[in-house]
Amino acid sequence: MHKPSNNNAFIWSKTAHFAVQIYYEDTDFSGVVYHPNFLKYFERAREHVIGADVLQTLWNQQGLGFAVYKSDMICHDGVEFADIIDVRTQFCFESKFRTIWKQEIWRPNASKAAVTACIEMVCMNNKRQLTAMPMDLIALLNQTMPS
């Protein structure tokens, strides 16, 4: 898995779990998930961690949002039609501008992750300029950090 660009010891959030039902439309002709769909599942899980209402308020009131800066994904095993997967998510703050998200997709009763990813997100304003995350958002996300 991708290692962040610096060697700081990061404090990772608690693991969040997000269930996703795999539908036939998510798969190719063989019933295996088409790989770009994993990025959608990871996106949904990150939104679940932050909260859609928080993201909407951040955009509508402050003109701020997040963009993927870097993504590193590895498919270790196939995920199939009718699976209900567990998207496991942890994040850390690399700076006041950037978060790093470690995400894994687990199939039911699996002994290892089917897909792993390291996704770096940056905070940007509505003019697409890099912007520091608001302190109230950092405080909210810090509530998911281990005590």
Side-chain angles (χ1 to χ4, degrees), residues 6 17 27 36 47 74 84 101 125 130 136:
N6 60 35
H17 296 268
T27 67
E47 183 176 319
I74 301 171
I84 298 176
W101 299 77
N125 65 23
L130 189 62
D136 55 342

Side-chain angles (χ1 to χ4, degrees), residues 115-135:
V115 182
T116 56
C118 181
I119 298 170
E120 296 183 31
M121 304 289 294
V122 293
C123 185
M124 300 181 80
N125 65 23
N126 55 10
K127 294 181 177 121
R128 298 186 182 147
Q129 297 167 324
L130 189 62
T131 305
M133 288 177 273
M135 291 308 296

